[in-house]
Amino acid sequence: MVSAWAREEMASADFGDLRLDDRAAVLLSAVGNCPNLSIPAACGGRAEMAAAYRFFDNPKVTFDTVLQSHRECTRQRLRKQEVALLVQDTSEIDLTRPQQEVVGAGELDGSRRGVLLHALHAFTPDGTPLGTAWARCLIRPEVSHASRSSKMRRQKQTPIEQKESMRWVEGLRQTREIAAALPGVQCICIGDSESDIYECLAESRAVCEGGPAVYDWLIRGCHDRTLVDDSNPCNYLRERVLATKVQYRAELGVRERQAKTNVETRGRRQNRRTRRARVEVRAATVTLRPPKRNDRELPPITVNVVLVREPNPPAGEGPIEWMLLTSLPIDTPEQVRKVVEYYCVRWNIEILFRTLKGGCRVEHRRFEHIDRILPCMALYLIVAWRTLLVCRLGRECPDADCETLFEPSEWKAVWVAVNRAKPPKKKPSLSQIVHLIAQLGGYVQRPSSEPGPQTIWIGLQRMYDLSWAWDTFGPEGI
């Protein structure tokens, strides 16, 4: 039986073959029900397994065609919002195989091989995931072994259109296209410090056909850029913002972080303990001096800047500091606070990637060719979104009807399995069922905590098994 949500997400799939369209929904339902199992185990039979591998082997099935219907559904969900946060980020998909290399995989670094997944994922301001609005995969060519200085010279002489960093500009262009199609929705493109590229800032000022850009943007800065105003002694971005008054003070939760190597020297990659940080927030409007480029002349750009800084970090800990460049207004402390809150939603895309790699185990799919892995990864990207959606709606809409997300056989089977009692006549709330599902995944009920994605994705798998038994054998067998 195909899950209702899978059929809905694949409703407008168009592979140029009706059999492929139907197979996409069947396969999405199968892998969505068992995201961390192998494809043969998820399909549940030799014939279904063979059909799945034929699907991924078909030249009409690509990363883009698999994601196309989900992207359209995402736009429909965006249409119902007043404010939409379109967060873009990149994640490495490590496909290193010691015994046999994946044909077509690119070089990541050193001996590791794989692809870069760059996604533009839509969220509401409270962090509810709406789906992947756009995504692309980059296969990096063999890395040159030239010296560091020669690489830097070549990078400076190469136009951005020929660099990997062009993906950030493409994300902004996709946001502009989406915003133009949804005139009643305020679309805000958000990127981390890797997107602090002057061409991205210039792109944000680009003019749409017939009028100005119709979206806003928010980028975490990593460069202390020079400013146009030479009359002011504070001629650098960070120094200028630090000279302004404090707009407000706040407390932020800081998550633990482990350095990837023992010799890591970069401040933002050091070990960090989980703690609460007291920060000061400042804001200013500045005009940035454009850098020199060999192939073009870039204009000065006026941007709003919000600086979030921890003045007194604990001993042995580096201070928390975010420098946020944005087109959003910063005239009042409330507007500044909203900029910071919007940027905090960016962390949810990290959870999406963790769910894709940890819950859906996309790096462990044993295909031998990159052309098979990419459409499989697109399918699991939809599954990762669905897992996050269940997790978030259980928190944000606790009193909603549980049948908003779950079929009667699903929530009833979970209720009986966990509570050892017949399901109630009155439908439970969404929060109740999400907590029961998380308990199936190992979540321990505590008043001060909510279930996370890991217990949800394990619990969902068990829920689908119980639902299958409920539909197959009937509740009277209990």
Side-chain angles (χ1 to χ4, degrees), residues 177-340:
E177 179 188 319
I178 292 167
L182 306 173
V185 183
Q186 182 187 10
C187 294
I188 304 168
C189 187
I190 302 177
D192 70 356
S193 57
E194 197 176 349
S195 63
D196 182 16
I197 304 166
Y198 202 88
E199 281 81 354
C200 282
L201 304 179
E203 178 68 26
S204 68
R205 298 299 185 189
V207 176
C208 291
E209 185 177 347
V214 291
Y215 68 97
D216 286 297
W217 53 272
L218 172 56
I219 292 172
R220 181 175 178 179
C222 69
H223 302 297
D224 192 12
R225 299 184 183 276
T226 56
L227 306 180
V228 169
D229 187 6
D230 295 326
S231 62
N232 194 308
C234 299
N235 203 34
Y236 284 89
L237 177 58
R238 183 176 180 277
E239 188 180 9
R240 179 72 62 86
V241 185
L242 273 175
T244 64
K245 67 177 183 178
V246 174
Q247 296 279 337
Y248 70 93
R249 292 176 173 84
E251 190 174 85
L252 298 177
V254 180
R255 296 184 300 175
E256 181 182 16
R257 180 177 62 201
Q258 294 291 329
K260 292 185 178 180
T261 64
N262 293 328
V263 294
E264 183 62 73
T265 58
R266 290 169 291 184
R268 289 179 54 193
R269 302 292 180 89
Q270 298 298 309
N271 290 331
R272 186 173 69 190
R273 294 182 288 108
T274 299
R275 59 187 174 88
R276 303 294 296 179
R278 293 288 301 174
V279 297
E280 297 176 343
V281 182
R282 294 175 167 84
T285 300
V286 299
T287 302
L288 305 177
R289 186 187 300 277
K292 292 182 180 179
R293 296 287 190 261
N294 293 328
D295 62 328
R296 73 197 69 191
E297 186 173 336
L298 295 168
I301 297 173
T302 300
V303 301
N304 294 329
V305 187
V306 174
L307 181 65
V308 180
R309 182 172 179 270
E310 184 182 22
N312 301 305
E317 293 276 352
I320 303 301
E321 183 169 308
W322 303 342
M323 186 159 58
L324 308 178
L325 313 179
T326 184
S327 63
L328 293 166
I330 56 169
D331 299 325
T332 66
E334 290 73 24
Q335 290 175 334
V336 174
R337 190 185 300 272
K338 188 167 289 188
V339 170
V340 178

Side-chain angles (χ1 to χ4, degrees), residues 12-261:
S12 60
D14 184 8
F15 296 94
D17 186 326
L18 290 177
R19 293 169 298 178
L20 291 176
D21 299 346
D22 292 337
R23 177 58 55 183
V26 171
L27 197 51
L28 177 60
S29 179
V31 301
N33 292 353
C34 308
N36 62 345
L37 295 186
S38 66
I39 290 176
C43 291
R46 183 177 181 84
E48 289 298 309
M49 177 196 71
Y53 284 119
R54 283 197 304 272
F55 176 83
F56 291 124
D57 196 40
N58 194 300
K60 295 179 181 179
V61 178
T62 65
F63 181 86
D64 289 331
T65 56
V66 170
L67 210 55
Q68 169 256 328
S69 180
H70 172 68
R71 288 177 58 182
E72 291 185 13
C73 291
T74 299
R75 289 205 181 191
Q76 293 303 315
R77 289 186 283 268
L78 282 169
R79 199 177 299 277
K80 301 174 184 177
Q81 309 301 316
E82 293 183 6
V83 178
L85 308 183
L86 294 160
V87 181
Q88 60 173 329
D89 200 9
T90 306
S91 184
E92 289 184 347
I93 307 299
D94 189 347
L95 303 174
T96 307
R97 304 283 188 268
Q99 289 80 22
Q100 181 181 12
E101 286 188 359
V102 175
V103 178
E107 188 167 334
L108 295 179
D109 59 61
S111 60
R112 295 191 309 123
R113 304 187 68 80
V115 298
L116 299 178
L117 171 62
H118 188 79
L120 182 70
H121 201 86
F123 296 90
T124 63
D126 65 10
T128 301
L130 300 175
T132 299
W134 170 78
R136 64 168 294 199
C137 293
L138 296 92
I139 299 176
R140 184 180 288 161
E142 295 294 327
V143 176
S144 168
H145 297 289
S147 66
R148 180 179 175 84
S149 59
S150 63
K151 285 181 182 179
M152 291 182 67
R153 281 198 302 273
R154 188 168 62 249
Q155 279 286 93
K156 287 183 178 180
Q157 294 169 359
T158 303
I160 190 171
E161 289 80 6
Q162 299 175 22
K163 296 180 182 179
E164 284 182 4
S165 50
M166 184 63 188
R167 66 188 186 272
W168 300 101
V169 177
E170 290 175 352
L172 286 163
R173 290 175 179 173
Q174 288 292 324
T175 302
R176 184 174 66 193
E177 179 188 319
I178 292 167
L182 306 173
V185 183
Q186 182 187 10
C187 294
I188 304 168
C189 187
I190 302 177
D192 70 356
S193 57
E194 197 176 349
S195 63
D196 182 16
I197 304 166
Y198 202 88
E199 281 81 354
C200 282
L201 304 179
E203 178 68 26
S204 68
R205 298 299 185 189
V207 176
C208 291
E209 185 177 347
V214 291
Y215 68 97
D216 286 297
W217 53 272
L218 172 56
I219 292 172
R220 181 175 178 179
C222 69
H223 302 297
D224 192 12
R225 299 184 183 276
T226 56
L227 306 180
V228 169
D229 187 6
D230 295 326
S231 62
N232 194 308
C234 299
N235 203 34
Y236 284 89
L237 177 58
R238 183 176 180 277
E239 188 180 9
R240 179 72 62 86
V241 185
L242 273 175
T244 64
K245 67 177 183 178
V246 174
Q247 296 279 337
Y248 70 93
R249 292 176 173 84
E251 190 174 85
L252 298 177
V254 180
R255 296 184 300 175
E256 181 182 16
R257 180 177 62 201
Q258 294 291 329
K260 292 185 178 180
T261 64

Side-chain angles (χ1 to χ4, degrees), residues 91-97 102 108 112-115 353-367 373 376-377 380:
S91 184
E92 289 184 347
I93 307 299
D94 189 347
L95 303 174
T96 307
R97 304 283 188 268
V102 175
L108 295 179
R112 295 191 309 123
R113 304 187 68 80
V115 298
F353 287 144
R354 190 182 73 191
T355 304
L356 178 67
K357 293 192 277 189
C360 300
R361 296 174 59 82
V362 73
E363 293 174 322
H364 298 271
R365 303 301 161 188
R366 294 296 172 181
F367 291 94
I373 289 179
C376 178
M377 184 165 61
Y380 278 107

Side-chain angles (χ1 to χ4, degrees), residues 249-474:
R249 292 176 173 84
E251 190 174 85
L252 298 177
V254 180
R255 296 184 300 175
E256 181 182 16
R257 180 177 62 201
Q258 294 291 329
K260 292 185 178 180
T261 64
N262 293 328
V263 294
E264 183 62 73
T265 58
R266 290 169 291 184
R268 289 179 54 193
R269 302 292 180 89
Q270 298 298 309
N271 290 331
R272 186 173 69 190
R273 294 182 288 108
T274 299
R275 59 187 174 88
R276 303 294 296 179
R278 293 288 301 174
V279 297
E280 297 176 343
V281 182
R282 294 175 167 84
T285 300
V286 299
T287 302
L288 305 177
R289 186 187 300 277
K292 292 182 180 179
R293 296 287 190 261
N294 293 328
D295 62 328
R296 73 197 69 191
E297 186 173 336
L298 295 168
I301 297 173
T302 300
V303 301
N304 294 329
V305 187
V306 174
L307 181 65
V308 180
R309 182 172 179 270
E310 184 182 22
N312 301 305
E317 293 276 352
I320 303 301
E321 183 169 308
W322 303 342
M323 186 159 58
L324 308 178
L325 313 179
T326 184
S327 63
L328 293 166
I330 56 169
D331 299 325
T332 66
E334 290 73 24
Q335 290 175 334
V336 174
R337 190 185 300 272
K338 188 167 289 188
V339 170
V340 178
E341 289 173 352
Y342 286 165
Y343 185 74
C344 288
V345 174
R346 196 205 73 80
W347 306 114
N348 288 301
I349 199 169
E350 306 280 2
I351 301 173
L352 178 78
F353 287 144
R354 190 182 73 191
T355 304
L356 178 67
K357 293 192 277 189
C360 300
R361 296 174 59 82
V362 73
E363 293 174 322
H364 298 271
R365 303 301 161 188
R366 294 296 172 181
F367 291 94
E368 297 178 358
H369 200 287
I370 195 68
D371 289 345
R372 318 299 190 262
I373 289 179
L374 295 185
C376 178
M377 184 165 61
L379 206 66
Y380 278 107
L381 190 57
I382 303 171
V383 175
W385 157 77
R386 167 72 179 181
T387 304
L388 280 193
L389 179 67
V390 172
C391 187
R392 175 59 64 172
L393 288 184
R395 300 182 189 185
E396 300 300 328
C397 308
D399 299 324
D401 186 336
C402 67
E403 291 188 9
T404 303
L405 289 180
F406 304 112
E407 297 296 309
S409 62
E410 293 173 342
W411 72 260
K412 289 178 181 179
V414 168
W415 184 279
V416 172
V418 177
N419 293 327
R420 307 291 182 181
K422 290 184 177 181
K425 293 181 180 179
K426 181 182 178 182
K427 288 179 285 189
S429 69
L430 181 60
S431 177
Q432 285 178 284
I433 297 303
V434 169
H435 277 74
L436 294 180
I437 290 170
Q439 285 180 254
L440 291 174
Y443 169 70
V444 179
Q445 288 276 19
R446 294 187 181 92
S448 59
S449 69
E450 289 288 333
Q454 183 167 335
T455 55
I456 291 292
W457 78 58
I458 296 172
L460 283 174
Q461 179 173 316
R462 295 194 64 193
M463 180 197 77
Y464 291 126
D465 291 339
L466 293 168
S467 174
W468 174 84
W470 184 280
D471 286 328
T472 303
F473 302 110

